[in-house]
Amino acid sequence: MAAVINAVEDDTLDQGGVTYPLATRRYRWFQLVVGIAAITMVANLQYGWTLFVLPMDQKYHWGRPAIQLAFTIFILAESWLLPVCGWLVDRRGPAQLTFVAGLMIGGSWVLNSIASELWILYVSSAIGGLGVGIVVAAAIGNALKWFPNNRGLAAGLTSGAFGVASALTIIPLQTMIGNSGYQNTFLWFGLAQGTGLLVLSLVFRAPQRGQVEKATNTVVSHAKVERAPQEVVRTGMFWVMYAVFVLVCTGGLMATAQLAPIAHDLGLEKSPVTLLWVTLPALTFALSLDRMLNGVTRPFFGWVSDKFGRENTMFFAFLLEGVGIFALSHFGTNPVAFVLLTGLVFFAWGEIFSLFPALTTDVFGAKNAAGNYGLIFTAKGVASLLVPLGNVVAEYSGGWHTVFWLSCAMDVAAAFIILFVMKPMRIRATSGA
């Protein structure tokens, strides 16, 4: 493994040449916690949406497809505008952008609470998606900059909070919708989440020149030059990483986003499963376990990558996902196996949201970490457009086995590309060869 190159490892904003004292470990962790808290404020906009669809349809009879179009607009705004959000965060810092995002997040759900026409819902979703993109860019970018020696763990803890927060608030959302109606729930949760971001913006800071030590982690090679987003897209390494992200994200989504129809077609939807003295229907158990593991995997594999290298960890995780999907295709008709194997697939898949931001920063430098990762993250948008092919393949092949095989092949291909193509390219670039 190439040695760490510290020539430009300056994880700070340029403040006119002023150098600040080295920040304490406690302060760096405080900033990480602020970022984690910020990202928990926006998780419900994505994961809590499904709880509002039926009540809205019952009130206005717009039809579920028309209502779900608002969610599609939200995802597109979040994914495709993330490079712009990251670019702004890198230049203006997280405080100002998080303040603006707080107004957008609060305003989005307040608009939802009074939306009596679909176009209002669509405008609100675009505003909310952009707000979430800003917070994700600020939180992930700041984690990468404050922890040059533990980027995988820092990014994993931050991105993992996105899923964990939604799990903690599902019951309060359901309860309030049942007791007070969906409009009051939109209103008060929106105000609470928006206000929370406004408060956090007061203490959210990026590291200044001199506040972060040079990277000393010899396991991970670091960028020899800092690259801006417009330079990044002209490198071969970016497109290799982009292709791998699309392969893994598409493969994982094709196998996991279709859990409900797969369980239904296999006759497992309501089959009882007992694990650790808990009995639930197979699909309910799988969805609950998958959400938990999808949060745990991000800091876990991030930590592993800090110890054993990004590409080595990716190779193992991608192969593990491929094995999980292969096993699911053969043994998934058993309810217990279905629950456990879908959990394994989620565990091996969710790590991409901690490993890719860390690898991107290792390769292209920390100065533009948020903007550069935003470019990579658009691969999720590409993957989401490819996921419906899973239904087409299943329909024409007469079952889900072909979909599983295709997903498995994508993961295995990504594993070998990252280890035998990306890793040599990165070593040559960071060693100056």
Side-chain angles (χ1 to χ4, degrees), residues 200-418:
L200 290 169
S201 72
L202 301 177
V203 294
F204 208 1
R205 298 290 183 270
Q208 309 303 306
R209 183 182 297 275
Q211 285 192 299
V212 177
E213 75 278 10
K214 302 296 184 181
T216 57
N217 185 347
T218 56
V219 174
V220 180
S221 296
H222 293 270
K224 192 173 183 180
V225 295
E226 296 280 355
R227 294 185 186 273
Q230 62 269 26
E231 298 172 303
V232 166
V233 295
R234 295 199 293 267
T235 66
M237 288 187 294
F238 169 80
W239 292 109
V240 171
M241 291 170 61
Y242 200 91
V244 170
F245 197 118
V246 171
L247 285 172
V248 177
C249 198
T250 303
L253 286 175
M254 286 178 70
T256 58
Q258 312 289 353
L259 276 188
I262 290 172
H264 176 77
D265 292 348
L266 295 177
L268 302 176
E269 192 172 8
K270 299 181 179 179
S271 299
V273 171
T274 301
L275 291 171
L276 298 177
W277 305 284
V278 176
T279 301
L280 290 170
L283 179 59
T284 303
F285 214 139
L287 290 173
S288 301
L289 182 63
D290 295 347
R291 176 168 291 186
M292 180 182 68
L293 291 176
N294 195 28
V296 171
T297 185
R298 301 182 189 197
F300 172 76
F301 274 113
W303 173 80
V304 170
S305 74
D306 290 332
K307 302 296 182 182
F308 299 100
R310 310 285 183 231
E311 294 93 348
N312 296 337
T313 304
M314 286 179 165
F315 178 77
F316 173 77
F318 298 166
L319 279 185
L320 183 64
E321 182 181 343
V323 169
I325 293 174
F326 177 81
L328 186 62
S329 71
H330 282 74
F331 308 110
T333 52
N334 178 280
V336 175
F338 177 81
V339 171
L340 294 177
L341 289 173
T342 55
L344 176 64
V345 172
F346 263 91
F347 181 73
W349 176 73
E351 42 70 36
I352 59 177
F353 299 107
S354 60
L355 297 188
F356 272 97
L359 179 61
T360 303
T361 308
D362 294 339
V363 172
F364 301 118
K367 184 178 180 181
N368 301 289
N372 290 339
Y373 176 57
L375 289 174
I376 290 289
F377 191 80
T378 61
K380 180 184 177 182
V382 175
S384 67
L385 296 176
L386 296 175
V387 167
L389 291 176
N391 286 311
V392 177
V393 172
E395 181 178 350
Y396 279 92
S397 64
W400 293 100
H401 282 289
T402 304
V403 176
F404 287 138
W405 277 95
L406 182 60
S407 299
C408 179
M410 289 180 175
D411 288 322
V412 173
F416 282 91
I417 291 172
I418 204 72

Side-chain angles (χ1 to χ4, degrees), residues 40-49 109 165-166 169 173 189 193:
T40 62
M41 291 292 118
V42 302
N44 280 327
L45 274 76
Q46 177 171 332
Y47 291 114
W49 172 261
W109 272 30
S166 66
T169 54
L173 279 172
F189 265 84
Q193 291 163 171

Side-chain angles (χ1 to χ4, degrees), residues 163-179:
V164 174
S166 66
L168 295 176
T169 54
I170 286 297
I171 293 177
L173 279 172
Q174 288 178 318
T175 301
M176 190 169 183
I177 290 173
N179 294 337

Side-chain angles (χ1 to χ4, degrees), residues 85-148:
C85 297
W87 180 84
L88 289 171
V89 168
D90 285 329
R91 276 144 188 81
R92 305 299 300 181
Q96 293 182 30
L97 272 299
T98 301
F99 184 88
V100 173
L103 298 177
M104 298 175 75
I105 296 300
S108 175
W109 272 30
V110 170
L111 274 178
N112 286 346
S113 73
I114 62 173
S116 57
E117 297 182 44
L118 276 171
W119 71 267
I120 300 176
L121 202 64
Y122 296 158
V123 170
S124 168
S125 295
I127 294 171
L130 181 56
V132 171
I134 290 173
V135 173
V136 169
I140 297 292
N142 233 34
L144 296 168
K145 292 175 181 179
W146 277 110
F147 290 85

